[in-house]
Amino acid sequence: MYVGYIPLVCLFYISANAQSPFGSGITVGTLDSTHLDEASGLAASRVHPNVLYSHNDGGDLSRIFAVDSTDASVIAEFGISGADHYDWEDIAMGPCPDKSSCIYIADAGLNHHRPVNMIYRVREPGAVKDQTLTIIDKLPFIWTEVDGQTLLVDNHGEIYMVSNVNGGKGLMVHIPASAWGSATPFNATSSVHLNITTSHHDPGAGDISPDGTELIIKARNHVYYWKVLNNDYLSAVETPPIEIPHHSERLGEAICWDVNGTNYYTLSEGRHAPLYEFVRLPTGPAVG
Ligand SMILES: *[C@@H]1O[C@H](CO)[C@@H](O)[C@H](O)[C@H]1NC(C)=O
Ligand SMILES: *[C@@H]1O[C@H](CO)[C@@H](O)[C@H](O)[C@H]1NC(C)=O
Ligand SMILES: *[C@@H]1O[C@H](CO)[C@@H](O)[C@H](O)[C@H]1NC(C)=O
C-alpha cells in the first residue's frame, strides 16, 4: 500500500506541472502609495530595469506611476501633458516614431457614458523621478464597441483594442501603426471575437510579449494565453487559448509581461493592492 502511493503522487505532480506552464504566483509586495489606488493598466519599462508603469481608472488626473517590480513600491509619478483622462483603461509599451520606447495609453472606457476612443503615446522618461511628460501624438479611432479595457501593441507598433462585453467574447480590432497622424478618426473594422467564455464583463486587460510571439488576456477570473505566429493576433484569438494561473482579485484590470517576456505580473484596483508575479516554469513554453 505504502509502496504504491509514492508513484501515484509523482505521476500526479508531473502531469499537474505539464499543464501549468507558469507558477501559481507570488506576492512581490503591495502598493505603498495612496495616489495609485485604482490600478487599471500595467506595462514593463523597456529602458529602466525593474520598473512597471501603471495608472488609475477613470476620473483621475492624467498621470502614470512607476512601480518597482521587486517590491511594489511606487517610485515616481509622471504627469502626462496633452492628454485628457476620461477613462484610461490600459497602457502598453510600443515603439515611438523614432523607434525609441513609448508608453501607449488607451482612453476608451465607458465612465462618462460616452466612449472617447483615443490612444496617446508618450516617450518613456529618461529618469525615474517625478516629472511631467508631454505626449508625442494621439490617435482617435471609431469602432462598434462602447467599452474598451484592453490595449495591445506589438513590437512593430501595430495596435489592437479589445472590447469588454458580457460573457467575455470581446471584439478585437486592429489599428495599424500607419493610422497615427490622420486628422480623422481611424475606423477600425478589421476584427474578430475572442474564443473565450466567461461569466462576467470581460476582458479587462492584456499584453503582447516584447518579441510579439505571446499574448495574455486577463478576465475577471481567468488569464488566457495564446502563442502567436507571424504577429497574427486576430487569427490567434479565434483559436482556444490555454488558461494560466491568476490570483483572485477584487477588480483585476492590469497585467503585463516582464521586459524579457518571461514572467507576467498582475495588479488590481484598490489601496495597497498586491502585485503578483507568475514565473515561467521549465515545463512552460519556450520564450520567443
Ligand atoms: C466604418 O466602417 C464601416 C464598415 O465599412 C461602415 O459601415 C461605417 O459606416 C464606418 N463608420 C464611419 C463613422 O465612417
Ligand atoms: C473556437 O475554437 C474552436 C476550435 O478551434 C472552433 O471550433 C470554434 O469555432 C472557435 N469559436 C469561435 C467563436 O471562434
Ligand atoms: C531580463 O534579462 C536580463 C538578462 O538576462 C536579466 O539581467 C534581468 O534580470 C531580466 N529581467 C527580468 C525582469 O527578469
Side-chain angles (χ1 to χ4, degrees), residues 50 258-260 263 265:
N50 301 323
D258 68 22
V259 64
N260 295 345
N263 307 332
Y265 297 95

Side-chain angles (χ1 to χ4, degrees), residues 194-213:
L194 302 184
N195 195 323
I196 64 173
T197 303
T198 75
S199 50
H200 289 96
H201 279 81
D202 284 313
D207 201 28
I208 293 172
S209 62
D211 70 0
T213 65

Side-chain angles (χ1 to χ4, degrees), residues 62-87:
S62 294
R63 59 180 175 179
I64 287 174
F65 300 85
V67 177
D68 186 328
S69 66
T70 65
D71 63 5
S73 60
V74 177
I75 47 182
E77 189 173 320
F78 310 108
I80 306 296
S81 163
D84 292 321
H85 183 161
Y86 291 99
D87 192 3

Side-chain angles (χ1 to χ4, degrees), residues 1 36 41 45 50 54 68 110 154 166 190 240 258 262 265 270-271:
M1 191 166 132
L36 179 57
S45 171
N50 301 323
S54 187
D68 186 328
L110 192 52
D154 80 356
N166 195 15
S190 171
D258 68 22
T262 307
Y265 297 95
R271 283 203 171 181

Side-chain angles (χ1 to χ4, degrees), residues 23 59 95 126 132 167 201 235 245:
T132 299
H201 279 81
S235 295

